[in-house]
Amino acid sequence: MSSSYFTPPIVFSSAVVLRIVLLLYGLIQDAYSPVKYTDIDYFVFTDAARYLSRGGSPYQRETYRYTPLLAWLLLPTTWPGAAWFSFGKVLFALADIVAGWLIILVLKSPAGGGGMTTERALRFAAIWLLNPMVATISTRGSSEGLLCVMVVALLWAVIHGRIGLAGVLLGLAVHFKIYPFIYGASILWYLEPLPKPKSAAPKTSELSTSASAPFVKQIRDFITPGRITLVLTSLATFTSLNLLMYSLYSTPFLTHTFLHHLTRIDHRHNFSPYNTLLYVSSASPPGDGTSHFRFESLAFIPQLALSAFLIPLALAKKDLAGAMLAQTFAFVTFNKVCTSQALWLHQAYQLEFHGRSTFVPGLWGAGCIFFVVNVWILGLVVEDVGKVGGGWKGEGRESLKDE
């Protein structure tokens, strides 16, 4: 393809047109096909917004497991006129575009993509902006585009040394959806101070301290102004939002937005190897008097060990963006609920649409193969990021000298 096609007007206008076409197509499919284009979650979002518009709580809508902020954003979907119902889809599609613009800014930064030219950055950003799957997800009514904006903006803020802004974005993202907290570990590990100039001869007191209390010295060196700023601003943002929502919606806010995910049992269109066990557990909910081990409360341990601890330690100082990619991939791969409606297994279709038992070996075996392939891909990602590390130690860390 000619390089002249990779200009901001062409790439961004094409991305907008793609989403407009899909939005219009979705209206037709919803009207004439028994299989609807609009994601079921979008109806959950808009129903929650409708309860809000009537002075109620978004948690009056069964299965609403999100922050009230999302329902607030979608209040226009309750306004008179059929066209307003698609407001959320348009908002999510616009978020896709903003995320693509932020990707370009990151790639053009010397501390991000090594200072790519606009054309080269556009080529990579086009993988997101012109990707039909990305566009389909947002125009069907998934809110993931909003979170993508927060996460890419977080990355941009960190590599440019805007640590206060990064903390606010991290706190907001974790409030919006829990899992971005894993990026905090990588960012904290990445924010190391620049090495001090070597002095001709260390002071006697320094030698004594180093010999007698190396562990204490390591802790003291780890506590830097940048890390303190990130922790305080992210905690302040997260806590403030949670206190506000709790004051408005009380216990249902905590239960549905956070606590639900610890014991979540979701065996529908779930490709996780845990799927069959979750299905069995769903037959005996907590409090029914049955005494048996409920593994779903502990299934997150290997998931968090990888995504929030091992991967940040191994990769964050080498390549922050690559580490965040590996964290996300590991979190999804090892999640006890790995849902997918675009990638549909034949066994799952037979089970959920025709009521035929295909759990073992069909559905479980297919889920295991899906898991193994994803683990193999994760291994490739980790290996590649480890090889290309070292390109993230410029602009972002230099600016920390002023903090």
Side-chain angles (χ1 to χ4, degrees):
M1 182 179 291
S2 172
S3 61
S4 61
Y5 287 104
F6 288 96
T7 62
I10 292 178
V11 172
F12 279 95
S13 60
S14 298
V16 171
V17 168
L18 172 62
R19 284 157 178 80
I20 292 175
V21 170
L22 288 173
L23 284 169
L24 295 176
Y25 168 78
L27 295 175
I28 297 172
Q29 181 172 328
D30 283 346
Y32 296 102
S33 173
V35 180
K36 304 304 180 183
Y37 182 82
T38 301
D39 194 318
I40 187 64
D41 285 342
Y42 189 71
F43 292 104
V44 175
F45 302 158
T46 54
D47 286 349
R50 189 170 296 106
Y51 280 112
L52 275 178
S53 69
R54 297 171 181 171
S57 165
Y59 300 106
Q60 290 177 257
R61 195 341 176 152
E62 189 178 359
T63 74
Y64 185 79
R65 315 292 188 188
Y66 312 90
T67 170
L69 286 179
L70 180 57
W72 291 2
L73 285 173
L74 298 184
L75 277 174
T77 62
T78 67
W79 295 350
W84 282 111
F85 180 75
S86 297
F87 171 82
K89 297 179 182 179
V90 175
L91 177 65
F92 302 152
L94 287 175
D96 280 352
I97 305 299
V98 175
W101 172 68
L102 288 169
I103 289 172
I104 293 173
L105 294 184
V106 169
L107 293 176
K108 291 176 67 176
S109 168
M116 289 186 184
T117 63
T118 299
E119 179 186 332
R120 182 172 173 80
L122 277 168
R123 287 177 179 270
F124 285 100
I127 299 173
W128 170 269
L129 289 167
L130 303 182
N131 191 320
M133 178 169 287
V134 172
T136 299
I137 289 172
S138 61
T139 55
R140 290 187 65 216
S142 170
S143 63
E144 292 301 317
L146 295 177
L147 192 62
C148 289
V149 170
M150 299 177 203
V151 172
V152 183
L154 168 64
L155 175 60
W156 177 89
V158 172
I159 66 176
H160 285 85
R162 312 284 181 86
I163 307 304
L165 175 60
V168 172
L169 289 169
L170 180 59
L172 175 62
V174 176
H175 171 80
F176 199 85
K177 207 162 189 178
I178 302 173
Y179 80 84
F181 83 90
I182 63 177
Y183 305 132
S186 283
I187 295 171
L188 284 173
W189 195 238
Y190 167 78
L191 290 177
E192 62 179 1
L194 292 173
K196 297 179 181 179
K198 294 182 178 179
S199 56
K203 298 179 181 179
T204 304
S205 60
E206 291 179 352
L207 291 174
S208 175
T209 301
S210 176
S212 61
F215 182 69
V216 174
K217 183 178 184 299
Q218 289 178 1
I219 294 178
R220 187 173 65 247
D221 291 342
F222 184 82
I223 303 175
T224 62
R227 285 170 172 148
I228 293 173
T229 300
L230 180 76
V231 171
L232 292 181
T233 52
S234 59
L235 283 178
T237 303
F238 179 72
T239 303
S240 299
L241 287 170
N242 288 341
L243 288 176
L244 173 61
M245 298 307 166
Y246 183 79
S247 69
L248 293 173
Y249 305 109
S250 190
T251 304
F253 160 68
L254 293 178
T255 301
H256 295 288
T257 304
F258 297 113
L259 301 180
H260 160 77
H261 298 281
L262 294 177
T263 56
R264 178 183 179 187
I265 298 178
D266 189 342
H267 54 82
R268 297 293 183 182
H269 40 266
N270 184 357
F271 290 92
S272 166
Y274 297 119
N275 179 46
T276 302
L277 292 174
L278 288 173
Y279 189 88
V280 173
S281 294
S282 68
S284 54
D288 67 345
T290 305
S291 61
H292 64 276
F293 176 69
R294 303 192 66 85
F295 78 95
E296 61 268 13
S297 298
L298 301 178
F300 61 87
I301 293 178
Q303 176 190 34
L304 295 185
L306 270 176
S307 62
F309 182 70
L310 296 177
I311 289 177
L313 285 178
L315 302 180
K317 290 184 179 181
K318 297 179 179 180
D319 184 338
L320 180 58
M324 293 171 68
L325 167 63
Q327 284 179 281
T328 307
F329 205 101
F331 190 90
V332 174
T333 298
F334 285 84
N335 198 11
K336 65 182 179 183
V337 180
C338 187
T339 60
S340 176
Q341 294 173 340
L343 178 59
W344 197 248
L345 295 175
H346 173 71
Q347 292 88 350
Y349 175 80
Q350 293 295 322
L351 172 68
E352 296 191 18
F353 283 82
H354 297 287
R356 299 169 185 165
S357 178
T358 58
F359 286 105
V360 180
L363 187 59
W364 181 79
C368 288
I369 294 173
F370 186 68
F371 172 76
V372 170
V373 170
N374 280 325
V375 170
W376 174 68
I377 296 174
L378 175 62
L380 294 179
V381 171
V382 171
E383 182 181 4
D384 287 347
V385 172
K387 288 179 179 178
V388 302
W392 284 79
K393 299 185 179 180
E395 182 179 340
R397 295 186 183 178
E398 289 288 344
S399 61
L400 295 179
K401 292 187 296 183
D402 299 328
E403 296 195 28

